[in-house]
Amino acid sequence: MGDIVIEHSGTTHYEALNLQNVTTSENDADLVQSFCGDYLPEDITHEEKSTCTEALDRGYLEYGCPHYRRRCRIIAPCCNEMFDCRHCHNEYKNNINVDQKLRHEIPRHKVERVICSLCDKEQEVRQVCINCGVCMGRYFCETCKLFDDDTSKRQYHCNGCGICRIGGMENFFHCPKCRCCYSVLLRNSHPCVEGAMHHDCPVCFEYLFESINDVTVMPCGHTIHKNCLKEMQEHYQYACPLCSKSVCDMSKVWEKFDMEIAATPMPEPYQDKKGGTSERE
């Protein structure tokens, strides 16, 4: 089985053609090169570089929510309200206390406005604030409207999936038939299942492709939440809920059963009997 980690801008990756250009900067030098290079002269002084770096780094890792470290908030296009991120919106709008008719999720790709957390300037989606010049997220995906200062997640965008992933692009590949990303360890060994993650988890019924929880691939090719599979095994359930194939190597178990059956002969009256139905008179 292979684990998938998904970063929903909620997962789990690729060949070079599937990657979209995004800005991921691991240090101050990268930030200066990415953001200052377009408008500062080539003979920029060390002092000017330091000033630019300080402006970009103000508030680094000091803002955000439980889901992301970022220096901006988003304006939800569906309800025109402000939230720290799309997950905060979805949790609030799908709360059990909210009228069922009013519950909804944000269309992540349609976010058009953000608010800088440092200067409160509302503006179009962009990586650097037009007012105070701060970098609102060291990782930024213009397609997913995703900002994140915590680049240790090793985020990247997959054009095949249409969303951002975490874990490093060199560790995953996109399967066009499964329409999702798997660990490179499964490149030549996973059984392809059409739209493997585009369905609900067979245990908790959460839509797997949108889930922010870890997903794993069973030997049959079907996918399931990693924690749901673990809970199944804790209750001695070792078959895929969708196709009933074993989710782990059961050969030793069957061998033990055969030994126990062989060691337990049938009572003498039934030894020559065979299974079947009998006709009624």
Side-chain angles (χ1 to χ4, degrees), residues 193-240:
V193 175
E194 187 72 33
M197 283 213 302
H198 293 263
H199 64 82
D200 296 339
C201 172
V203 174
C204 69
F205 303 109
E206 180 184 9
Y207 187 50
L208 290 174
F209 196 73
E210 298 287 339
S211 176
I212 60 174
N213 298 313
D214 289 351
V215 178
T216 190
V217 186
M218 294 179 283
C220 56
H222 291 122
T223 51
I224 187 174
H225 279 132
K226 189 175 182 179
N227 286 337
C228 291
L229 178 61
K230 182 179 179 181
E231 187 172 344
M232 280 177 50
Q233 294 173 334
E234 289 175 351
H235 288 82
Y236 307 104
Q237 300 295 321
Y238 301 106
C240 171

Side-chain angles (χ1 to χ4, degrees), residues 10 36 38 42 52 82 176 218 222 277 280:
C36 297
D38 292 337
E42 294 182 0
C52 182
M82 180 181 67
M218 294 179 283
H222 291 122
T277 58
R280 293 185 178 180

Side-chain angles (χ1 to χ4, degrees), residues 4-252:
I4 309 167
V5 182
I6 310 172
E7 177 71 35
H8 292 296
S9 29
T11 272
T12 34
H13 308 223
Y14 314 51
E15 301 164 354
L17 293 178
N18 285 330
L19 297 178
Q20 174 175 320
N21 291 329
V22 294
T23 302
T24 304
S25 303
E26 295 292 346
N27 52 54
D28 295 339
D30 292 336
L31 286 169
V32 173
Q33 180 66 32
S34 299
F35 308 130
C36 297
D38 292 337
Y39 56 87
L40 290 179
E42 294 182 0
D43 57 348
I44 181 175
T45 65
H46 177 73
E47 288 74 16
E48 289 173 319
K49 287 184 179 180
S50 298
T51 301
C52 182
T53 299
E54 290 175 3
L56 291 167
D57 272 353
R58 281 184 297 123
Y60 175 61
L61 294 179
E62 296 177 9
Y63 296 84
C65 62
H67 308 104
Y68 301 107
R69 294 283 88 192
R70 60 194 343 183
R71 285 165 277 179
C72 68
R73 291 153 290 174
I74 62 174
I75 302 295
C78 46
C79 52
N80 200 35
E81 296 181 30
M82 180 181 67
F83 293 90
D84 285 319
C85 74
R86 79 176 190 92
H87 298 303
C88 292
H89 169 280
N90 293 342
E91 289 174 2
Y92 181 79
K93 291 297 182 179
N94 289 294
N95 188 283
I96 192 172
N97 296 320
V98 176
D99 188 327
Q100 190 170 2
K101 295 181 180 179
L102 300 177
R103 297 177 191 175
H104 66 279
E105 296 195 353
I106 190 172
R108 77 186 80 169
H109 297 103
K110 293 184 179 180
V111 173
E112 297 179 349
R113 309 290 295 178
V114 296
I115 298 177
C116 176
S117 297
L118 277 75
C119 69
D120 293 324
K121 174 68 175 179
E122 183 175 341
Q123 55 202 282
E124 293 183 353
V125 173
R126 53 183 292 136
Q127 189 166 16
V128 179
C129 177
I130 59 174
N131 184 52
C132 67
V134 71
C135 172
M136 293 186 283
R138 285 197 174 185
Y139 175 85
F140 169 68
C141 176
E142 188 174 6
T143 299
C144 296
K145 312 301 189 292
L146 175 62
F147 300 79
D148 200 347
D149 272 335
D150 183 7
T151 55
S152 66
K153 300 175 183 176
R154 304 175 69 190
Q155 306 94 326
Y156 60 97
H157 181 88
C158 171
N159 281 339
C161 291
I163 59 176
C164 290
R165 303 289 196 182
I166 63 175
M169 62 183 179
E170 71 280 5
N171 297 318
F172 299 89
F173 75 99
H174 182 83
C175 176
K177 182 175 181 180
C178 296
R179 290 188 291 145
C180 57
C181 295
Y182 293 136
S183 167
V184 292
L185 299 176
L186 300 176
R187 184 186 292 273
N188 299 316
S189 61
H190 79 283
C192 284
V193 175
E194 187 72 33
M197 283 213 302
H198 293 263
H199 64 82
D200 296 339
C201 172
V203 174
C204 69
F205 303 109
E206 180 184 9
Y207 187 50
L208 290 174
F209 196 73
E210 298 287 339
S211 176
I212 60 174
N213 298 313
D214 289 351
V215 178
T216 190
V217 186
M218 294 179 283
C220 56
H222 291 122
T223 51
I224 187 174
H225 279 132
K226 189 175 182 179
N227 286 337
C228 291
L229 178 61
K230 182 179 179 181
E231 187 172 344
M232 280 177 50
Q233 294 173 334
E234 289 175 351
H235 288 82
Y236 307 104
Q237 300 295 321
Y238 301 106
C240 171
L242 298 176
C243 66
S244 297
K245 291 184 178 179
S246 299
V247 299
C248 56
D249 184 4
M250 299 288 289
S251 57
K252 295 295 183 181

